Amino acid sequence: MSDASPPPTWGPLRSFGRIKSRTLKPRQAALFDTLLPTVALPDPLAGPLDPQALMPGAKEVWLEIGFGGGEHLAAQAARHPDALMIGCEPFLNGVGSALRHVEEGRLKNVRLHAGDARDVMKALPDGALDRVMILFPDPWPKARHTKRRLVQDETAAEIVRLLKPAGRVRFVTDWKDYADWALERFERTPGLEWLAEAADDWRTAPDDHVVTRYEEKKLGDTPPIFLEFRKV
């Protein structure tokens, strides 16, 4: 594992919308004071992040970018107690929901960042991650807003830097245009190969997929599209 690569020089990207939509429920608000300090990542702007220092002995390290309400993050953490699950979400109500899942599951392998995932990515060393999960990111469907989408060429290249050999990235969306957009950028990024061999590979949820409340709302213009890539 090497951290010799210079950090990316991308500029500001507002790839998410509201930070808070409603008043936090009393229980969630209390968890911000009691639980969050124990599971929060160190400030990624303060210096490099060492996954082994965050969870000594972790067999794998996963990153979920934009975990929404935290259902998927918590479920995967429960299934893989030996893996460090890093979750990033700027939406404070989502962070509150995730804290509730962490508490109810008594999860010890989750670390949360209530902010921009790209700050965390820049602070992680080369080859730090086994998996990157991007599930139903904001589609920014209007043409003039596509520059705000999370998946850009720079983001894809940074994911390649962070993945271990044979590490995987999963992208899921329920917007056709964003699926095409993401596929184009991931496929033209050196070091990634798309694992699909037939149409069912992107139409059918992987065996370990966890359905979230957002997915159940069916707000997009297509059934979920699952794109899986591997670092080569």
Side-chain angles (χ1 to χ4, degrees), residues 180-193:
D180 291 340
W181 169 284
L183 179 59
E184 180 180 356
R185 278 146 188 80
F186 282 127
E187 280 207 297
R188 72 189 184 198
T189 300
L192 284 180
E193 66 172 352

Side-chain angles (χ1 to χ4, degrees), residues 199-216:
D200 280 351
D201 292 336
W202 68 80
R203 294 173 181 165
T204 304
D207 291 340
D208 64 346
H209 177 63
V210 177
V211 177
T212 65
R213 286 181 298 168
Y214 174 86
E215 183 177 344
E216 290 175 338

Side-chain angles (χ1 to χ4, degrees), residues 28-37 99:
Q28 293 181 355
L31 290 174
F32 269 86
D33 296 328
T34 59
L35 181 57
L36 183 58
L99 288 171

Side-chain angles (χ1 to χ4, degrees), residues 21 28 52 56 84 110 113 116 130 149 165 188 217 229:
S21 68
Q28 293 181 355
Q52 284 301 315
L84 170 63
V110 174
H113 175 64
D116 194 332
D130 294 270
R149 288 175 170 172
R188 72 189 184 198
K217 293 178 181 179
F229 303 86

Side-chain angles (χ1 to χ4, degrees), residues 84-103:
L84 170 63
M85 300 289 176
I86 299 175
C88 302
E89 174 61 59
F91 190 41
L92 296 185
N93 297 87
V95 176
S97 176
L99 288 171
R100 178 175 58 81
H101 289 299
V102 170
E103 181 188 50

Side-chain angles (χ1 to χ4, degrees), residues 6-157:
T9 56
W10 49 40
L13 173 65
R14 186 55 179 266
S15 60
F16 42 84
R18 304 165 300 170
I19 301 300
K20 181 180 177 183
S21 68
R22 62 185 183 277
T23 301
L24 291 170
K25 297 178 181 178
R27 179 184 174 191
Q28 293 181 355
L31 290 174
F32 269 86
D33 296 328
T34 59
L35 181 57
L36 183 58
T38 70
V39 301
L41 279 180
D43 183 359
L45 299 178
L49 295 174
D50 178 3
Q52 284 301 315
L54 297 172
M55 182 179 165
K59 294 183 178 179
E60 292 190 356
V61 183
W62 294 26
L63 172 66
E64 183 167 346
I65 301 175
F67 55 70
E71 304 104 311
H72 177 271
L73 183 70
Q76 296 290 8
R79 292 175 179 177
H80 305 277
D82 294 331
L84 170 63
M85 300 289 176
I86 299 175
C88 302
E89 174 61 59
F91 190 41
L92 296 185
N93 297 87
V95 176
S97 176
L99 288 171
R100 178 175 58 81
H101 289 299
V102 170
E103 181 188 50
E104 291 176 351
R106 299 182 180 180
L107 302 173
K108 305 299 182 184
N109 57 330
V110 174
R111 300 294 180 268
L112 303 179
H113 175 64
D116 194 332
R118 299 187 321 147
D119 294 332
V120 173
M121 295 167 71
K122 287 186 286 186
L124 288 169
D126 293 3
L129 303 177
D130 294 270
R131 301 191 70 175
V132 175
M133 314 290 279
I134 306 172
L135 309 184
F136 302 100
D138 192 324
W140 294 106
K142 295 182 179 179
R144 67 178 183 272
H145 290 154
T146 54
K147 62 184 179 182
R148 298 187 180 186
R149 288 175 170 172
L150 172 68
V151 178
Q152 306 287 341
D153 290 315
E154 297 85 357
T155 315

